[in-house]
Amino acid sequence: MIMKNLKKASGIFSVLGLSLILFSGCGDESAVAGSQEKSQKTRITFFAAASMTETLSSVAEKYQKEHPDVDIVFSFDSSGTLKTQIVEGAYCDIFMSASTKQMNELDKNSGKAAPGADYVLSDTRVNLLENKVVLAVPDGNPKNIGSFAELVNSLNGGRVLLAIGNSDVPVGQYTQKLFAYYGLNMDDLYRSKTLTVGNNVKEITTQVKEGVADAGIIYSTDAYSAGLTFVDTANTEMVGKVVYPVAVLKQSKHQKEARDIVNYLKNDESRRIFESVGFTVLNLDSPSE
C-alpha cells in the first residue's frame, strides 16, 4: 500500500516537473525573442549642443516612429565638452555643434583642424541651422534692462549680475565677441563681480529664469523654450553668424543609418520643428564661417 502511494506521488511529481520544464522553456524563448528584437535595433549615438535639446528630441521622436528599427541616443552638452569627449575616444555617430569652430577642429578638410584630427565624414557635413544671440531677462525684468547698450552701462556701474557662458561654450565665445564690440574688459567685469558663468546654455538660461541673474546672454531658441523675454538681439556685426553644423563621424559603425538621420534633419517636417522655436534652416551644402 505504501509502495503504491509512493509510485502514485512519483508520477504526479514527474508530470509537474515536465510541466515546469515546458513552461520554463516557453518563458526562455519569449525572453530570448524580446532580447533579439531589442538587439536588432540600430543604436545611433548623437552628440549635440545643449541648445538643441528640445528640438532634436522632437525630431528624433518622429524619426523613430517612422524607423522603429533605429534607436537614437542623445548626449546634450556644450559643444566644446562634446568635442573634447570625441577627441578623447568617446563613441559618437553624429555630431552637431552650436558653432563651426568645434566642427572645424574635428574636420580635416576645414583647414582649421588640430594636427592629426580627422574625425568628420566631410561629404555628410552641412551647416543646417542659424540661431540668434539675445539678451534675456527674468519675469518682470526687475532691473529694467532694455538693450545691450543699457546693459553695458549697468555692467560698468556694477548694478547688475549677468549670466554668461564660459570660454569653452559657443554662446560664451559669442559673448566675448559682443563684449569686444562694446569695448568691455572681461577681467574688469569678473573683478567687479558682475558676471556669473554657466557651463552650457541651459545653465545660463536656468539662472535667468530663476532670477539668480538679472539678465543672461543666450540663444533666442532657448529663451523661447524657457518662456523668457529677450529685450535685444545681437546682429552679425556684433557676434558674426551663429551657425550649427552637423555631420556623421568616421568612427560611426552605422554610417548608412547615420547619414539617413542627417538627411532627415533637412526635410520639411524637421524644418517645421526647427522653425517653430526660432531657428532658421539653412540647408547649405558646404561648410562656411
Side-chain angles (χ1 to χ4, degrees), residues 2-20:
I2 293 173
M3 291 297 297
K4 185 176 180 181
N5 288 338
L6 286 172
K7 286 182 181 180
K8 186 176 180 181
S10 176
I12 292 171
F13 286 131
S14 296
V15 172
L16 286 172
L18 180 60
S19 299
L20 286 171

Side-chain angles (χ1 to χ4, degrees), residues 29 32 43 57 80 90 99 115 128 155 164 183 224 233 272 282:
E29 287 177 9
V32 169
R43 178 187 174 107
S57 296
S99 167
L128 184 67
L155 285 171
I164 65 169
Y224 178 91
T233 303
R272 280 191 287 272
L282 300 175

Side-chain angles (χ1 to χ4, degrees), residues 86-87 105-108 117-121 248-251:
I86 291 168
V87 170
E105 290 171 351
L106 297 175
D107 186 0
K108 180 181 178 181
D118 187 14
Y119 297 89
V120 176
L121 280 174
V248 178
L249 298 190
K250 288 185 176 181
Q251 65 171 289

